[in-house]
Every structure is written in C-alpha cells, then in structure tokens.
Amino acid sequence: MGVVNVTPDSFSDGGRWFDTTAAVKHGLALVDEGADLVDVGGESTRPGATRVDEAEELRRVVPVVRGLASEGVVVSVDTMRASVARQALAAGAALVNDVSGGLADPDMIPVVADSGAPFVVMHWRGFLAGGNVKGVYDDVVTEVLDELHARVEAVLAGGISPDRIVVDPGLGFSKNSEHDLILLAHLDRLHALGHPLLVAASRKRFLGRVLAGPEGAPPPARERDAATAAVSALAAHAGAWAVRVHEVRATADAVRVSRAVEEARTATATPGAPATPGAQHAEGAR
Ligand code: PMM
C-alpha cells in the first residue's frame, strides 16, 4: 500500500503532494514502483496536529481518489469522517482506512457497511486528543489485541461483514518506540483476531530511534526508507496482508524476497523433519 498524503503537514511527506495533479501523479508513480493499492489521506494525524475541517478534507481527497480510480488504481481512503468516506467511495475508492477504528464519527460504520467496502480498523486510544495520550500499558500486545478485538466486535455489530475487516496495530499511535517494537515482534499474535493484518511502520519515529542508537540523533523521516523496507520484509514474513509505505520500490522488493524465501521453505519442507542447514548444495553460490 503506497501512501499519498494530500496534506501540508504530514510528518514525513507533508506539502509534497498537496496539489491534486501532483498527488495523482505521485500515486501513479507508486503503482509503477509496485504498489497494489494507494492510500489517499487529507488529514495529518501526527501528534499535536489540529483537525482539518470537513470541506477542506473533501477538497483535498475526493479529486485525487477520482483521478487515481479513473486510471484503474485500487484506492483506499484514509479518513476518520463518514462524509469523506462516502464521497471517496462514490469517486471510486475501494477501501476505507480509519485510524480511529470507527470511533471518531458515529456514521462511519453504517456508511462503510452500506457500501460493502473493506474497512481497516486501526488501534488508537487517544485519537482526538493527540498522539501519545493514554499510551501506558502493562502488556502492550495483550491490551492492543483486546482493544482491537472490541473494535472488531463493534464493527461487526454495525453490519460490516467479517470478510471485509482488516486490522492494524496502529504503530506510533498512543504507543512509544518500545511498544512499536514489541508489537512488531508479536505480529503472530495479532493473527489470532482472524483478519488480514495491515502494518504501517513507514518512516515512523521508532525507526528513527533504532537508527540513532542510544546516544545519537534520529535521522529525518525521509532517511528511514531502508529501515522501513526491513520492517516490510519482517511483516511480510510474519504473514501481513499489506504494508503501508511512503517509498514503494524498496518495500516491493523486500516483500518479493520474503515471498520467495517462503516459497522455498514450503517447497523443501519435509513433514515432520526439521530443516537441515547445508542439505542443499549450490555449486558456486555466493
Ligand atoms: N499511520 C498514519 C496514517 N494513516 N493508517 C493506518 N491504517 N495505519 C497507520 O499506522 C497509519 C495510517 C500516519 O503516518 P503518515 O502521516 O506518515 O501517513
């Protein structure tokens, strides 16, 4: 999933695709680089961002969705507003990605249910008050699982069918860097929810922290793409349905390699036998 933020203030790419033509062009370039779908958003959710008003969000998002959908791109709309979801779906969006998990707008779940579109349910505790409020956990994996499960139940009760639900741990949303890493280490447990998993680590703060080491300064967001691709490989290996990224080419390669390794593992698996290192000889291999 490639990202097109039609915003002046997103933390990693704010202002770059703010104009409709540039945004559509960028979305098409992401598809050329290997994106299977493009996520279009008009509202920054970075900590401390103020909410954009509805008319402005519509103005930013709908023409870009229409432009990309008319070129045959599978578009997802990243919004917490039912009205934006409705108009984006009418303009050709195929999927709704709501970082509030349907909590920000009571009309969201009915609108998505009526449309029959898939719905991404993301985990976020403090969705309207800014990034990291309420980011205190005794056991982050269990609590995120339980809270996501509750959101999935609410979404199902609202009429969205089970095969239309995607879940997302919401890295960086009311979570610190350690929480993000622990969640990534336990993606297998999120599969217990029984829904496809979306992982959105791209350029996020925890990657800056990892790259900086204990003493150093984190590199700027746009210098975190190699680290993002590494997470993409790990997430794909752990069975993620999709990874949401700003720079697609490296991630598309990472996902392809992960898939090839998985295919090799399946092809050589002998039931009941542990893998034998060195059992396969590759003459001249490096
Ligand atoms: N993160 C951002 C925006 N949208 N959607 C989902 N489903 N999951 C996320 O983690 C997520 C998201 C913030 O990142 P950006 O401002 O760089 O796009």
Side-chain angles (χ1 to χ4, degrees):
M1 175 188 278
V3 181
V4 177
N5 284 321
V6 194
T7 57
D9 58 344
S10 287
F11 85 102
S12 75
D13 57 355
R16 297 196 66 207
W17 328 114
F18 195 40
D19 147 76
T20 301
T21 309
V24 171
K25 210 170 145 201
H26 182 55
L28 293 172
L30 295 179
V31 172
D32 278 348
E33 289 171 17
D36 295 316
L37 70 161
V38 172
D39 191 40
V40 177
E43 177 168 43
S44 169
T45 47
R46 70 174 181 186
T50 48
R51 293 212 64 184
V52 64
D53 72 40
E54 182 181 344
E56 175 63 9
E57 192 184 348
L58 286 165
R59 190 198 64 74
R60 292 177 186 181
V61 166
V62 175
V64 178
V65 170
R66 186 174 296 113
L68 286 170
S70 72
E71 297 282 343
V73 177
V74 182
V75 179
S76 110
V77 60
D78 185 345
T79 184
M80 294 188 277
R81 283 199 174 94
S83 57
V84 176
R86 187 190 293 111
Q87 292 200 36
L89 289 164
L95 183 148
V96 178
N97 172 25
D98 179 355
V99 295
S100 81
L103 283 166
D105 184 337
D107 293 335
M108 179 63 96
I109 294 171
V111 162
V112 178
D114 278 353
S115 75
F119 188 52
V120 177
V121 180
M122 198 193 82
H123 178 270
W124 187 8
R125 284 179 173 176
F127 58 94
L128 292 179
N132 264 326
V133 292
K134 304 181 199 155
V136 179
Y137 303 85
D138 288 325
D139 173 346
V140 68
V141 179
T142 302
E143 288 168 58
V144 167
L145 255 175
D146 289 350
E147 289 162 22
L148 264 178
H149 179 70
R151 289 313 305 147
V152 167
E153 291 294 307
V155 164
L156 287 169
I160 297 180
S161 63
D163 63 343
R164 291 281 183 262
I165 296 173
V166 175
V167 292
D168 178 340
L171 300 175
F173 285 81
S174 40
K175 293 157 199 95
N176 63 27
S177 299
E178 194 190 352
H179 297 141
D180 291 343
L181 288 168
I182 295 170
L183 284 163
L184 282 172
H186 294 282
L187 288 179
D188 54 325
R189 287 185 57 198
L190 293 175
H191 289 306
L193 290 165
H195 296 283
L197 188 60
L198 173 66
V199 176
S202 187
R203 298 180 175 173
K204 283 190 176 164
R205 189 181 33 177
F206 78 96
L207 293 176
R209 289 275 155 78
V210 169
L211 296 176
E215 306 290 324
R222 291 182 63 196
E223 291 172 22
R224 300 175 193 166
D225 288 330
T228 298
V231 177
S232 296
L234 292 168
H237 185 68
W241 167 77
V243 285
R244 178 184 181 279
V245 298
H246 301 88
E247 200 280 317
V248 166
R249 194 181 301 276
T251 272
D253 287 353
V255 169
R256 270 194 283 265
V257 171
S258 169
R259 191 180 299 145
V261 170
E262 184 54 26
E263 282 165 8
R265 195 186 65 77
T266 314
T268 53
T270 311
T276 316
Q280 318 286 319
H281 295 282
E283 295 299 330
R286 289 161 212 266

